[in-house]
Short mmCIF file of all heavy atoms in Angstrom, two decimals:
data_model
loop_
_atom_site.label_atom_id
_atom_site.label_comp_id
_atom_site.label_asym_id
_atom_site.label_seq_id
_atom_site.Cartn_x
_atom_site.Cartn_y
_atom_site.Cartn_z
N MET A 22 -4.90 8.55 11.87
CA MET A 22 -3.94 7.89 12.71
C MET A 22 -2.72 7.43 11.92
O MET A 22 -1.65 7.49 12.38
CB MET A 22 -4.67 6.81 13.46
CG MET A 22 -3.80 5.99 14.36
SD MET A 22 -4.84 4.81 15.24
CE MET A 22 -4.05 4.80 16.76
N TYR A 23 -3.02 6.86 10.71
CA TYR A 23 -1.84 6.32 9.93
C TYR A 23 -1.71 7.13 8.69
O TYR A 23 -0.91 6.79 7.80
CB TYR A 23 -2.06 4.84 9.60
CG TYR A 23 -2.12 4.03 10.85
CD1 TYR A 23 -3.28 3.48 11.35
CD2 TYR A 23 -0.91 3.74 11.50
CE1 TYR A 23 -3.23 2.73 12.48
CE2 TYR A 23 -0.89 3.00 12.67
CZ TYR A 23 -2.08 2.43 13.13
OH TYR A 23 -2.08 1.72 14.29
N GLY A 24 -2.52 8.15 8.40
CA GLY A 24 -2.43 8.97 7.24
C GLY A 24 -3.76 9.49 6.74
O GLY A 24 -4.77 9.04 7.34
N ARG A 25 -3.72 10.31 5.72
CA ARG A 25 -4.97 10.83 5.26
C ARG A 25 -5.56 9.92 4.19
O ARG A 25 -4.92 9.57 3.21
CB ARG A 25 -4.71 12.18 4.60
CG ARG A 25 -5.93 12.92 4.18
CD ARG A 25 -5.63 14.37 3.66
NE ARG A 25 -4.91 14.34 2.32
CZ ARG A 25 -5.57 14.26 1.19
NH1 ARG A 25 -6.87 14.14 1.13
NH2 ARG A 25 -4.84 14.23 0.12
N VAL A 26 -6.78 9.47 4.43
CA VAL A 26 -7.48 8.53 3.55
C VAL A 26 -8.03 9.35 2.28
O VAL A 26 -8.70 10.31 2.58
CB VAL A 26 -8.60 7.80 4.20
CG1 VAL A 26 -9.44 7.03 3.27
CG2 VAL A 26 -8.08 6.94 5.35
N VAL A 27 -7.64 8.94 1.12
CA VAL A 27 -8.18 9.56 -0.02
C VAL A 27 -9.46 8.92 -0.51
O VAL A 27 -10.35 9.61 -0.93
CB VAL A 27 -7.03 9.51 -1.22
CG1 VAL A 27 -7.59 10.01 -2.51
CG2 VAL A 27 -5.80 10.20 -0.72
N SER A 28 -9.49 7.53 -0.46
CA SER A 28 -10.72 6.85 -0.76
C SER A 28 -10.65 5.50 -0.04
O SER A 28 -9.62 5.03 0.31
CB SER A 28 -10.78 6.62 -2.25
OG SER A 28 -9.83 5.81 -2.70
N ALA A 29 -11.92 4.96 0.06
CA ALA A 29 -12.02 3.65 0.71
C ALA A 29 -13.18 2.90 0.08
O ALA A 29 -14.19 3.52 -0.28
CB ALA A 29 -12.29 3.78 2.19
N HIS A 30 -13.05 1.61 -0.06
CA HIS A 30 -14.11 0.87 -0.71
C HIS A 30 -14.20 -0.56 -0.09
O HIS A 30 -13.22 -1.23 0.01
CB HIS A 30 -13.82 0.64 -2.26
CG HIS A 30 -14.84 -0.20 -2.94
ND1 HIS A 30 -16.11 0.19 -3.24
CD2 HIS A 30 -14.66 -1.53 -3.38
CE1 HIS A 30 -16.71 -0.81 -3.88
NE2 HIS A 30 -15.90 -1.84 -3.98
N VAL A 31 -15.45 -0.92 0.46
CA VAL A 31 -15.67 -2.24 1.04
C VAL A 31 -16.27 -3.13 -0.10
O VAL A 31 -17.24 -2.72 -0.66
CB VAL A 31 -16.56 -2.18 2.24
CG1 VAL A 31 -16.92 -3.58 2.71
CG2 VAL A 31 -15.97 -1.33 3.34
N VAL A 32 -15.60 -4.24 -0.41
CA VAL A 32 -16.15 -5.14 -1.44
C VAL A 32 -17.36 -5.92 -0.81
O VAL A 32 -17.25 -6.41 0.30
CB VAL A 32 -15.06 -6.04 -1.92
CG1 VAL A 32 -15.59 -7.10 -2.92
CG2 VAL A 32 -13.87 -5.31 -2.48
N LYS A 33 -18.40 -5.90 -1.58
CA LYS A 33 -19.64 -6.60 -1.12
C LYS A 33 -20.00 -7.76 -2.11
O LYS A 33 -19.69 -7.77 -3.22
CB LYS A 33 -20.80 -5.58 -1.08
CG LYS A 33 -20.54 -4.51 -0.08
CD LYS A 33 -21.66 -3.55 0.05
CE LYS A 33 -21.27 -2.45 1.02
NZ LYS A 33 -22.36 -1.49 1.16
N ASP A 34 -20.75 -8.73 -1.46
CA ASP A 34 -21.19 -9.86 -2.27
C ASP A 34 -22.44 -9.44 -2.97
O ASP A 34 -22.92 -8.34 -2.88
CB ASP A 34 -21.35 -11.12 -1.38
CG ASP A 34 -22.48 -10.98 -0.31
OD1 ASP A 34 -23.30 -10.09 -0.43
OD2 ASP A 34 -22.48 -11.83 0.56
N MET A 35 -23.12 -10.43 -3.65
CA MET A 35 -24.32 -10.12 -4.48
C MET A 35 -25.49 -9.71 -3.66
O MET A 35 -26.39 -9.09 -4.12
CB MET A 35 -24.64 -11.28 -5.32
CG MET A 35 -23.57 -11.64 -6.43
SD MET A 35 -23.76 -13.05 -7.39
CE MET A 35 -25.33 -12.64 -8.22
N ARG A 36 -25.48 -10.03 -2.36
CA ARG A 36 -26.56 -9.71 -1.43
C ARG A 36 -26.32 -8.36 -0.72
O ARG A 36 -27.05 -7.95 0.15
CB ARG A 36 -26.76 -10.76 -0.43
CG ARG A 36 -27.31 -12.03 -1.06
CD ARG A 36 -27.58 -13.03 -0.01
NE ARG A 36 -28.10 -14.27 -0.59
CZ ARG A 36 -28.59 -15.33 0.02
NH1 ARG A 36 -28.67 -15.26 1.35
NH2 ARG A 36 -29.03 -16.37 -0.61
N GLY A 37 -25.16 -7.69 -1.03
CA GLY A 37 -24.86 -6.48 -0.48
C GLY A 37 -24.12 -6.54 0.92
O GLY A 37 -23.93 -5.53 1.60
N ARG A 38 -23.69 -7.76 1.20
CA ARG A 38 -22.97 -7.90 2.54
C ARG A 38 -21.53 -7.79 2.33
O ARG A 38 -20.99 -8.16 1.20
CB ARG A 38 -23.33 -9.28 3.16
CG ARG A 38 -24.82 -9.45 3.47
CD ARG A 38 -25.03 -10.83 3.99
NE ARG A 38 -24.68 -11.82 2.86
CZ ARG A 38 -24.98 -13.01 2.88
NH1 ARG A 38 -25.62 -13.59 3.94
NH2 ARG A 38 -24.60 -13.88 1.95
N SER A 39 -20.77 -7.43 3.32
CA SER A 39 -19.34 -7.29 3.21
C SER A 39 -18.71 -8.62 2.81
O SER A 39 -19.07 -9.61 3.36
CB SER A 39 -18.74 -6.75 4.49
OG SER A 39 -17.33 -6.88 4.46
N SER A 40 -17.70 -8.61 1.91
CA SER A 40 -17.01 -9.84 1.54
C SER A 40 -15.78 -9.94 2.47
O SER A 40 -14.89 -10.78 2.18
CB SER A 40 -16.55 -9.79 0.04
OG SER A 40 -17.65 -9.90 -0.73
N SER A 41 -15.66 -9.12 3.45
CA SER A 41 -14.57 -9.19 4.42
C SER A 41 -13.20 -8.63 3.92
O SER A 41 -12.18 -8.98 4.43
CB SER A 41 -14.34 -10.59 5.08
OG SER A 41 -15.54 -10.92 5.71
N PHE A 42 -13.28 -7.87 2.82
CA PHE A 42 -12.11 -7.08 2.45
C PHE A 42 -12.45 -5.90 1.72
O PHE A 42 -13.58 -5.67 1.32
CB PHE A 42 -11.14 -8.07 1.59
CG PHE A 42 -11.61 -8.30 0.14
CD1 PHE A 42 -11.17 -7.55 -0.84
CD2 PHE A 42 -12.51 -9.28 -0.07
CE1 PHE A 42 -11.56 -7.77 -2.18
CE2 PHE A 42 -12.88 -9.60 -1.38
CZ PHE A 42 -12.42 -8.86 -2.42
N GLY A 43 -11.46 -5.02 1.58
CA GLY A 43 -11.68 -3.73 0.90
C GLY A 43 -10.37 -3.12 0.53
O GLY A 43 -9.29 -3.67 0.69
N TYR A 44 -10.53 -1.91 0.07
CA TYR A 44 -9.31 -1.13 -0.42
C TYR A 44 -9.35 0.22 0.20
O TYR A 44 -10.44 0.91 0.31
CB TYR A 44 -9.42 -0.98 -1.92
CG TYR A 44 -9.41 -2.33 -2.68
CD1 TYR A 44 -10.67 -2.89 -3.03
CD2 TYR A 44 -8.27 -2.93 -3.00
CE1 TYR A 44 -10.61 -4.13 -3.71
CE2 TYR A 44 -8.23 -4.16 -3.68
CZ TYR A 44 -9.44 -4.73 -4.00
OH TYR A 44 -9.47 -5.98 -4.66
N VAL A 45 -8.18 0.66 0.55
CA VAL A 45 -8.03 2.04 1.06
C VAL A 45 -6.89 2.70 0.40
O VAL A 45 -5.82 2.13 0.23
CB VAL A 45 -7.66 2.00 2.66
CG1 VAL A 45 -7.42 3.41 3.18
CG2 VAL A 45 -8.82 1.34 3.38
N GLU A 46 -7.10 3.93 -0.07
CA GLU A 46 -6.02 4.76 -0.73
C GLU A 46 -5.63 5.82 0.20
O GLU A 46 -6.47 6.61 0.64
CB GLU A 46 -6.63 5.25 -2.05
CG GLU A 46 -5.58 6.16 -2.82
CD GLU A 46 -6.13 6.72 -4.10
OE1 GLU A 46 -7.31 6.60 -4.38
OE2 GLU A 46 -5.33 7.44 -4.80
N LEU A 47 -4.33 5.93 0.39
CA LEU A 47 -3.82 6.97 1.33
C LEU A 47 -3.10 8.01 0.45
O LEU A 47 -2.79 7.77 -0.73
CB LEU A 47 -2.85 6.38 2.31
CG LEU A 47 -3.41 5.35 3.31
CD1 LEU A 47 -2.37 4.84 4.21
CD2 LEU A 47 -4.57 5.99 4.08
N SER A 48 -2.83 9.16 1.06
CA SER A 48 -2.30 10.33 0.30
C SER A 48 -0.88 10.15 -0.14
O SER A 48 -0.50 10.79 -1.17
CB SER A 48 -2.50 11.64 1.06
OG SER A 48 -1.79 11.54 2.27
N ASN A 49 -0.03 9.38 0.54
CA ASN A 49 1.34 9.19 0.04
C ASN A 49 1.91 7.82 0.46
O ASN A 49 1.40 7.15 1.31
CB ASN A 49 2.28 10.39 0.47
CG ASN A 49 2.61 10.30 1.98
OD1 ASN A 49 3.17 9.37 2.42
ND2 ASN A 49 2.25 11.44 2.61
N SER A 50 2.95 7.38 -0.24
CA SER A 50 3.53 6.09 -0.09
C SER A 50 4.10 5.85 1.29
O SER A 50 4.01 4.72 1.84
CB SER A 50 4.66 5.95 -1.12
OG SER A 50 5.17 4.68 -1.07
N ASP A 51 4.71 6.86 1.95
CA ASP A 51 5.22 6.70 3.32
C ASP A 51 4.10 6.29 4.25
O ASP A 51 4.28 5.49 5.17
CB ASP A 51 5.91 7.97 3.79
CG ASP A 51 7.21 8.26 2.97
OD1 ASP A 51 7.82 7.29 2.52
OD2 ASP A 51 7.56 9.45 2.93
N GLU A 52 2.93 6.94 4.12
CA GLU A 52 1.83 6.58 4.99
C GLU A 52 1.38 5.15 4.72
O GLU A 52 1.06 4.45 5.74
CB GLU A 52 0.65 7.52 4.71
CG GLU A 52 0.95 8.94 5.11
CD GLU A 52 -0.22 9.90 4.71
OE1 GLU A 52 -1.05 9.52 3.83
OE2 GLU A 52 -0.18 11.03 5.14
N VAL A 53 1.39 4.72 3.55
CA VAL A 53 1.07 3.31 3.27
C VAL A 53 2.00 2.35 3.96
O VAL A 53 1.52 1.36 4.58
CB VAL A 53 1.08 3.04 1.69
CG1 VAL A 53 0.89 1.59 1.39
CG2 VAL A 53 -0.01 3.89 1.05
N ASP A 54 3.32 2.60 3.89
CA ASP A 54 4.28 1.69 4.54
C ASP A 54 4.08 1.69 6.06
O ASP A 54 4.13 0.62 6.70
CB ASP A 54 5.70 2.20 4.23
CG ASP A 54 6.07 1.95 2.75
OD1 ASP A 54 5.49 1.09 2.02
OD2 ASP A 54 6.91 2.73 2.24
N ASP A 55 3.79 2.83 6.62
CA ASP A 55 3.48 2.89 8.09
C ASP A 55 2.28 2.08 8.46
O ASP A 55 2.30 1.39 9.48
CB ASP A 55 3.36 4.31 8.56
CG ASP A 55 4.67 5.14 8.45
OD1 ASP A 55 5.73 4.53 8.32
OD2 ASP A 55 4.56 6.41 8.52
N LEU A 56 1.20 2.26 7.70
CA LEU A 56 -0.04 1.55 7.95
C LEU A 56 0.16 0.05 7.85
O LEU A 56 -0.28 -0.68 8.70
CB LEU A 56 -1.12 1.98 7.00
CG LEU A 56 -2.47 1.32 7.17
CD1 LEU A 56 -3.59 2.33 7.29
CD2 LEU A 56 -2.77 0.27 6.04
N ILE A 57 0.79 -0.41 6.75
CA ILE A 57 1.14 -1.86 6.61
C ILE A 57 1.83 -2.37 7.75
O ILE A 57 1.52 -3.42 8.37
CB ILE A 57 1.80 -2.15 5.27
CG1 ILE A 57 0.91 -1.83 4.12
CG2 ILE A 57 2.29 -3.60 5.24
CD1 ILE A 57 1.53 -1.89 2.79
N HIS A 58 2.94 -1.72 8.14
CA HIS A 58 3.77 -2.11 9.28
C HIS A 58 3.00 -2.23 10.57
O HIS A 58 3.13 -3.21 11.41
CB HIS A 58 4.99 -1.17 9.43
CG HIS A 58 5.91 -1.60 10.54
ND1 HIS A 58 6.77 -2.67 10.46
CD2 HIS A 58 6.09 -1.04 11.78
CE1 HIS A 58 7.39 -2.80 11.64
NE2 HIS A 58 7.00 -1.81 12.45
N ALA A 59 2.08 -1.31 10.81
CA ALA A 59 1.33 -1.23 12.08
C ALA A 59 0.20 -2.24 12.10
O ALA A 59 -0.07 -2.73 13.18
CB ALA A 59 0.84 0.24 12.29
N LEU A 60 -0.49 -2.47 11.01
CA LEU A 60 -1.72 -3.18 11.03
C LEU A 60 -1.71 -4.68 10.49
O LEU A 60 -2.53 -5.49 10.79
CB LEU A 60 -2.82 -2.49 10.33
CG LEU A 60 -3.20 -1.08 10.98
CD1 LEU A 60 -4.33 -0.41 10.16
CD2 LEU A 60 -3.60 -1.28 12.41
N ASP A 61 -0.73 -4.95 9.66
CA ASP A 61 -0.64 -6.34 9.11
C ASP A 61 -0.45 -7.32 10.22
O ASP A 61 0.50 -7.26 10.98
CB ASP A 61 0.45 -6.47 8.00
CG ASP A 61 0.40 -7.79 7.36
OD1 ASP A 61 -0.72 -8.21 7.01
OD2 ASP A 61 1.50 -8.32 7.04
N GLY A 62 -1.38 -8.24 10.33
CA GLY A 62 -1.30 -9.30 11.44
C GLY A 62 -1.96 -8.86 12.76
O GLY A 62 -2.01 -9.62 13.71
N ALA A 63 -2.45 -7.63 12.86
CA ALA A 63 -3.02 -7.16 14.02
C ALA A 63 -4.46 -7.84 14.25
O ALA A 63 -5.15 -8.17 13.29
CB ALA A 63 -3.22 -5.62 13.96
N ASP A 64 -4.91 -7.94 15.47
CA ASP A 64 -6.27 -8.47 15.74
C ASP A 64 -7.27 -7.27 15.69
O ASP A 64 -6.97 -6.22 16.29
CB ASP A 64 -6.25 -9.04 17.22
CG ASP A 64 -7.60 -9.59 17.54
OD1 ASP A 64 -8.48 -8.82 17.93
OD2 ASP A 64 -7.75 -10.82 17.55
N PHE A 65 -8.32 -7.47 15.00
CA PHE A 65 -9.39 -6.52 14.99
C PHE A 65 -10.70 -7.24 15.20
O PHE A 65 -11.17 -8.01 14.40
CB PHE A 65 -9.46 -5.80 13.62
CG PHE A 65 -10.58 -4.82 13.54
CD1 PHE A 65 -10.50 -3.54 14.18
CD2 PHE A 65 -11.74 -5.01 12.76
CE1 PHE A 65 -11.52 -2.66 14.06
CE2 PHE A 65 -12.74 -4.16 12.70
CZ PHE A 65 -12.65 -2.94 13.34
N LEU A 66 -11.33 -7.01 16.44
CA LEU A 66 -12.60 -7.64 16.78
C LEU A 66 -12.60 -9.15 16.61
O LEU A 66 -13.53 -9.75 16.17
CB LEU A 66 -13.77 -7.04 16.02
CG LEU A 66 -13.96 -5.52 16.09
CD1 LEU A 66 -15.03 -5.04 15.21
CD2 LEU A 66 -14.22 -5.09 17.55
N GLY A 67 -11.39 -9.77 16.98
CA GLY A 67 -11.28 -11.20 16.94
C GLY A 67 -10.85 -11.76 15.61
O GLY A 67 -10.75 -12.96 15.45
N SER A 68 -10.60 -10.89 14.60
CA SER A 68 -10.12 -11.42 13.28
C SER A 68 -8.74 -10.78 13.00
O SER A 68 -8.43 -9.61 13.44
CB SER A 68 -11.04 -10.90 12.23
OG SER A 68 -12.29 -11.49 12.31
N ILE A 69 -7.89 -11.56 12.35
CA ILE A 69 -6.55 -11.05 12.04
C ILE A 69 -6.61 -10.27 10.72
O ILE A 69 -7.21 -10.68 9.74
CB ILE A 69 -5.55 -12.27 11.88
CG1 ILE A 69 -5.48 -13.04 13.22
CG2 ILE A 69 -4.17 -11.83 11.39
CD1 ILE A 69 -5.00 -12.26 14.40
N LEU A 70 -6.02 -9.05 10.75
CA LEU A 70 -5.94 -8.23 9.61
C LEU A 70 -4.80 -8.62 8.69
O LEU A 70 -3.71 -8.88 9.16
CB LEU A 70 -5.83 -6.78 9.93
CG LEU A 70 -6.98 -6.12 10.70
CD1 LEU A 70 -6.59 -4.71 11.12
CD2 LEU A 70 -8.23 -6.09 9.98
N TYR A 71 -5.02 -8.71 7.36
CA TYR A 71 -3.98 -8.87 6.41
C TYR A 71 -4.01 -7.66 5.54
O TYR A 71 -4.92 -7.33 4.82
CB TYR A 71 -4.27 -10.12 5.54
CG TYR A 71 -4.24 -11.38 6.38
CD1 TYR A 71 -5.45 -11.89 6.85
CD2 TYR A 71 -3.06 -11.99 6.77
CE1 TYR A 71 -5.46 -13.00 7.67
CE2 TYR A 71 -3.03 -13.08 7.54
CZ TYR A 71 -4.23 -13.67 8.04
OH TYR A 71 -4.25 -14.72 8.77
N VAL A 72 -2.87 -6.96 5.64
CA VAL A 72 -2.75 -5.67 4.98
C VAL A 72 -1.56 -5.69 4.02
O VAL A 72 -0.43 -6.05 4.39
CB VAL A 72 -2.56 -4.48 5.99
CG1 VAL A 72 -2.49 -3.09 5.25
CG2 VAL A 72 -3.67 -4.45 7.05
N SER A 73 -1.76 -5.30 2.73
CA SER A 73 -0.67 -5.32 1.80
C SER A 73 -1.00 -4.31 0.70
O SER A 73 -2.07 -3.73 0.59
CB SER A 73 -0.43 -6.64 1.18
OG SER A 73 -1.55 -7.04 0.48
N ARG A 74 0.02 -4.01 -0.17
CA ARG A 74 -0.20 -3.15 -1.31
C ARG A 74 -0.91 -3.89 -2.41
O ARG A 74 -0.77 -5.16 -2.44
CB ARG A 74 1.17 -2.66 -1.85
CG ARG A 74 1.86 -1.65 -0.99
CD ARG A 74 3.19 -1.21 -1.59
NE ARG A 74 3.79 -0.17 -0.84
CZ ARG A 74 3.56 1.09 -1.02
NH1 ARG A 74 2.77 1.56 -1.96
NH2 ARG A 74 4.22 1.99 -0.25
N THR A 75 -1.53 -3.16 -3.24
CA THR A 75 -2.15 -3.77 -4.45
C THR A 75 -1.88 -2.79 -5.62
O THR A 75 -1.53 -1.69 -5.40
CB THR A 75 -3.67 -3.97 -4.25
OG1 THR A 75 -4.20 -4.61 -5.35
CG2 THR A 75 -4.38 -2.59 -4.13
N ALA A 76 -1.91 -3.35 -6.78
CA ALA A 76 -1.64 -2.56 -7.94
C ALA A 76 -2.69 -1.43 -8.07
O ALA A 76 -3.92 -1.75 -7.88
CB ALA A 76 -1.61 -3.41 -9.22
N HIS A 77 -2.34 -0.32 -8.41
CA HIS A 77 -3.32 0.79 -8.68
C HIS A 77 -3.87 0.63 -10.09
O HIS A 77 -3.13 0.50 -11.04
CB HIS A 77 -2.61 2.18 -8.62
CG HIS A 77 -3.57 3.27 -8.80
ND1 HIS A 77 -4.41 3.65 -7.86
CD2 HIS A 77 -3.73 4.12 -9.85
CE1 HIS A 77 -5.15 4.70 -8.23
NE2 HIS A 77 -4.73 4.98 -9.52
N ARG A 78 -5.14 0.59 -10.18
CA ARG A 78 -5.84 0.36 -11.46
C ARG A 78 -6.83 1.45 -11.68
O ARG A 78 -7.47 1.94 -10.75
CB ARG A 78 -6.59 -0.99 -11.50
CG ARG A 78 -5.71 -2.19 -11.44
CD ARG A 78 -6.54 -3.39 -11.66
NE ARG A 78 -5.66 -4.55 -11.78
CZ ARG A 78 -6.12 -5.72 -11.76
NH1 ARG A 78 -7.37 -6.03 -11.66
NH2 ARG A 78 -5.27 -6.78 -11.92
N VAL A 79 -6.92 1.86 -12.94
CA VAL A 79 -7.95 2.82 -13.33
C VAL A 79 -8.89 2.13 -14.21
O VAL A 79 -8.50 1.53 -15.26
CB VAL A 79 -7.31 4.06 -14.02
CG1 VAL A 79 -8.38 4.99 -14.57
CG2 VAL A 79 -6.37 4.77 -13.16
N PHE A 80 -10.18 2.08 -13.82
CA PHE A 80 -11.16 1.42 -14.64
C PHE A 80 -11.88 2.41 -15.60
O PHE A 80 -12.30 3.45 -15.15
CB PHE A 80 -12.16 0.70 -13.76
CG PHE A 80 -11.53 -0.37 -12.99
CD1 PHE A 80 -11.15 -0.16 -11.61
CD2 PHE A 80 -11.34 -1.59 -13.48
CE1 PHE A 80 -10.58 -1.15 -10.87
CE2 PHE A 80 -10.76 -2.67 -12.72
CZ PHE A 80 -10.39 -2.39 -11.40
N GLN A 81 -11.96 2.06 -16.88
CA GLN A 81 -12.63 2.88 -17.84
C GLN A 81 -13.73 2.05 -18.42
O GLN A 81 -13.61 0.89 -18.72
CB GLN A 81 -11.66 3.38 -18.82
CG GLN A 81 -10.60 4.25 -18.31
CD GLN A 81 -9.58 4.55 -19.37
OE1 GLN A 81 -9.63 4.08 -20.52
NE2 GLN A 81 -8.63 5.57 -19.09
N ARG A 82 -14.89 2.77 -18.73
CA ARG A 82 -15.95 2.15 -19.51
C ARG A 82 -15.54 1.99 -20.98
O ARG A 82 -14.90 2.93 -21.48
CB ARG A 82 -17.16 2.92 -19.39
CG ARG A 82 -17.80 2.91 -18.07
CD ARG A 82 -19.12 3.59 -18.03
NE ARG A 82 -19.63 3.61 -16.69
CZ ARG A 82 -20.90 3.89 -16.38
NH1 ARG A 82 -21.72 4.25 -17.36
NH2 ARG A 82 -21.32 3.89 -15.19
N GLN A 83 -15.92 0.97 -21.58
CA GLN A 83 -15.57 0.78 -23.00
C GLN A 83 -16.85 0.60 -23.81
O GLN A 83 -17.77 0.14 -23.44
CB GLN A 83 -14.66 -0.42 -23.11
CG GLN A 83 -13.38 -0.17 -22.43
CD GLN A 83 -12.26 -0.94 -23.03
OE1 GLN A 83 -12.34 -1.66 -24.03
NE2 GLN A 83 -11.09 -0.73 -22.46
#
């Protein structure tokens, strides 16, 4: 609907329950801007969505 999802991750607490936030990677920057414009501040099942960009990080084992 807002672009092709490359990856998605729901952050969970120590008990395995959703921490009420997550990360979605889309295929290109224009799709990200459209998604943010459409969904930031929108109501979803009685909760307000906060949508913004985050820094892209690559995690490596050391």
Side-chain angles (χ1 to χ4, degrees):
M22 179 175 215
Y23 297 105
R25 187 174 70 85
V26 174
V27 174
S28 67
H30 176 73
V31 175
V32 177
K33 297 181 180 180
D34 66 15
M35 293 175 66
R36 293 184 180 189
R38 299 176 299 191
S39 170
S40 293
S41 298
F42 73 96
Y44 301 94
V45 177
E46 180 182 3
L47 298 179
S48 61
N49 72 58
S50 184
D51 291 334
E52 293 173 348
V53 172
D54 293 336
D55 291 344
L56 180 130
I57 291 170
H58 180 73
L60 296 181
D61 187 42
D64 180 283
F65 179 74
L66 302 176
S68 295
I69 300 299
L70 295 176
Y71 298 96
V72 183
S73 64
R74 287 182 177 269
T75 187
H77 182 75
R78 293 184 173 172
V79 176
F80 295 98
Q81 298 177 350
R82 291 185 183 195
Q83 299 208 359

